[in-house]
């Protein structure tokens, strides 16, 4: 099994200053529009400013000069500085498990990967890949010690707690990811890859600044998340966002998830292969990429992509009606589908909208983070934990003991 490894800072010592990112491929971005930017959506409430004598008199019924009141208002509205990474600051270990490949990265606050390893999945079952990944996580822990404050895992499946209860595309059921926890006191977070990509886009990408963002990712099937005020709507058990298993498809088709008529089966490489009269592909994502690439010169391939675009648009329209976002973002294969058959996608989306929405539908925007979005989202989820009251208390105790 071949692995790719890159380091921005091989030393990892508490006093080491990370070198430029070099081969690290997670984009370095400032914390903004997230709970990590104390002036953006989802930020912690600003502490009430202390009143001066003149302002206190006004608060108690006195008549402070207007310019003083205006100055106080400007101070109250001024954004607090964005949090940034410190050379000895906390890191998150993020893990991304795709249909063909895996990635493990140590990421600092702000999104820069200081260490990254990747490789192909060693086999179809979970045991082999978990064995490889637990070794990579342990290596990151050995390199950075207690600076590594959380492990955040993204999987193409349905997560409940630290277990993937179902990953239809991978053929996994009830897989515990506890083997990736490097120490009992290190938080382990497990999430759906599409939902984490949506978290990244809403906070740092195409959805930044919007109050309600609907994110859709087309990979093997389609998934996503609704983000409101910078926070994902995860549902009662954390398993929300399985949009691909809504019955927007042909009820005669049975999905690997056990349901019939799933939207998943209408938008990816499996759907395109059916239109072309081809057998079900072993790797639907690679097949979809091939067909999308051929669509510019092959009319049959373009028809297959257009059919997927119409299905994607119909489902997106239904979700807009149900969830009322003010922006829709699209990642994975979605932007490629839109580039080939954007007119079909737009017509299907508008046709599915309630009439009052058609004059000003929410914009459908391609991802600005591209293939990095899932890792960035996993890092965002990890730092939500690290920067919680409990996480900060644990970090303070660690720093005091070093």
């Amino acid at each position: 099994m071949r692995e790719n490894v890159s380091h921005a800072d091989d030393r990892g010592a508490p006093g080491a200053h990370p070198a430029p990112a070099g081969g690290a491929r997670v984009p370095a971005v400032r914390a903004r529009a997230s709970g990590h930017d104390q002036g953006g959506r989802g930020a912690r409430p600003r502490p009430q400013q202390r009143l001066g004598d003149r302002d206190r008199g006004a608060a108690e019924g006195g008549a402070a000069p207007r310019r003083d009141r205006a100055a106080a208002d400007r101070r109250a509205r001024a954004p607090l500085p964005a949090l940034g990474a410190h050379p000895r600051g906390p890191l998150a270990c993020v893990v991304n498990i795709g249909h063909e490949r895996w990635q493990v990265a140590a990421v600092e606050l702000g999104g820069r990967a200081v260490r990254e390893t990747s490789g192909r999945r060693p086999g179809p079952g979970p045991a082999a890949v978990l064995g490889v990944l637990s070794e990579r996580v342990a290596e990151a822990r050995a390199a950075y010690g207690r600076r590594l404050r959380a492990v955040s895992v993204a999987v193409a499946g349905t997560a409940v707690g630290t277990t993937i209860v179902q990953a239809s595309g991978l053929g996994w059921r009830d897989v515990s990811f506890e083997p990736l926890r490097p120490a009992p006191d290190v938080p382990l977070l497990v999430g759906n890859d599409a939902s984490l990509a949506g978290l990244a886009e809403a906070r740092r990408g195409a959805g930044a600044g919007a109050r309600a963002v609907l994110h859709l990712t087309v990979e093997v099937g389609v998934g996503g998340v609704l983000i409101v005020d910078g926070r994902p709507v995860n549902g009662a058990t954390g398993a929300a966002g399985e949009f691909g298993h809504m019955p927007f498809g042909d009820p005669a088709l049975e999905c690997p998830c056990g349901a019939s008529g799933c939207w998943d089966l209408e938008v990816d490489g499996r759907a395109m292969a059916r239109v072309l009269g081809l057998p079900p592909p072993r790797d639907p994502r690679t097949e979809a990429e091939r067909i999308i690439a051929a669509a510019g010169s092959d009319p049959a391939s373009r028809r297959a992509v257009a059919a997927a675009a119409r299905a994607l648009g119909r489902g997106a329209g239904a979700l807009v009606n149900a969830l009322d976002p003010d922006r829709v973002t699209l990642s994975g294969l979605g932007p490629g589908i839109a580039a080939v058959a954007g007119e079909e996608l737009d017509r299907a989306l508008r046709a599915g909208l309630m009439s009052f929405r058609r004059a000003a539908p929410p914009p459908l925007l391609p991802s600005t983070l591209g293939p990095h979005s899932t890792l960035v989202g996993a890092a965002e989820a990890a730092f939500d934990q690290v920067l919680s009251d409990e996480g900060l208390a644990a970090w303070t105790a660690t720093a005091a003991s070093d």
Side-chain angles (χ1 to χ4, degrees):
M1 179 183 62
R2 184 176 180 180
E3 295 182 14
N4 299 318
V5 183
S6 64
H7 304 271
D9 174 13
D10 288 329
R11 293 167 293 175
H17 289 261
R25 292 183 288 277
V26 180
V29 287
R30 293 288 294 171
R32 59 185 175 87
S34 76
H36 312 156
D37 175 358
Q38 297 181 29
R41 290 192 183 278
R44 298 174 183 272
R46 170 191 289 273
Q48 185 175 5
Q49 289 207 335
R50 187 173 181 177
L51 297 174
D53 291 339
R54 292 181 178 179
D55 292 328
R56 185 178 299 112
E60 294 171 354
R66 288 185 180 181
R67 64 176 180 272
D68 290 344
R69 291 200 300 269
D73 288 343
R74 285 194 298 272
R75 289 194 300 270
R77 289 194 301 268
L80 293 176
L83 297 178
H86 186 278
R88 293 178 295 169
L91 301 172
C93 182
V94 296
V95 180
N96 183 23
I97 304 173
H99 289 272
E100 295 294 320
R101 299 187 62 81
W102 55 263
Q103 295 170 282
V104 177
V107 179
E108 65 186 9
L109 182 65
R112 190 176 75 103
V114 298
R115 175 190 181 100
E116 183 179 351
T117 309
S118 63
R120 295 189 66 84
R121 284 203 300 122
V129 71
L130 286 178
V132 171
L133 294 175
S134 64
E135 292 175 1
R136 301 294 87 78
V137 172
E139 290 170 0
R141 173 75 168 184
Y144 296 104
R146 290 192 291 178
R147 288 182 62 196
L148 205 70
R149 304 307 299 171
V151 176
S152 183
V153 186
V155 190
T158 305
V160 175
T162 60
T163 297
I164 290 294
V165 295
Q166 186 164 348
S168 303
L170 298 173
W172 296 359
R173 288 291 300 269
D174 298 323
V175 178
S176 171
F177 279 74
E178 285 296 328
L180 301 190
R181 192 191 299 269
D185 61 340
V186 176
L188 173 66
L189 311 170
V190 181
N192 174 267
D193 59 347
S195 296
L196 291 169
L199 179 64
E201 286 294 337
R203 291 183 177 180
R204 300 180 176 274
R211 180 175 183 272
V213 179
L214 169 63
H215 182 74
L216 299 174
T217 300
V218 182
E219 295 287 347
V220 178
V222 57
V225 67
L226 178 69
I227 306 288
V228 178
D229 290 331
R231 299 291 176 183
V233 179
N234 287 327
T237 64
E242 293 290 350
F243 300 140
H245 299 291
M246 301 181 75
F248 294 160
D250 183 351
L253 295 177
E254 184 174 344
C255 179
C257 78
S260 297
C262 287
W263 191 25
D264 261 9
L265 304 177
E266 306 295 332
V267 297
D268 66 5
R270 294 169 293 186
M272 297 179 198
R274 285 199 310 275
V275 172
L276 293 172
L278 300 175
R282 184 190 67 83
D283 180 359
R285 195 191 196 288
T286 299
E287 181 71 357
E289 289 177 331
R290 183 190 69 78
I291 295 169
I292 290 170
S297 58
D298 177 34
S301 294
R302 194 195 182 285
R303 285 195 296 274
V305 178
R310 287 190 289 271
L312 180 60
R314 285 194 301 273
L319 289 171
V320 168
N321 290 337
L323 301 176
D324 192 30
D326 51 10
R327 203 173 297 178
V328 181
T329 57
L330 196 60
S331 69
L333 295 168
I337 293 172
V340 170
E343 291 185 6
E344 289 89 343
L345 173 61
D346 185 65
R347 281 199 299 269
L349 189 152
R350 287 176 176 271
L353 292 176
M354 299 170 67
S355 59
F356 83 94
R357 296 186 184 276
R358 292 176 187 163
L364 180 64
L365 304 174
S367 164
T368 59
L369 298 177
H372 308 295
S373 59
T374 300
L375 275 182
V376 174
E380 286 287 305
F383 279 107
D384 282 350
Q385 171 69 36
V386 172
L387 299 178
S388 67
D389 290 342
E390 180 183 1
L392 289 172
W395 173 253
T396 301
T398 297
S401 64
D402 287 343

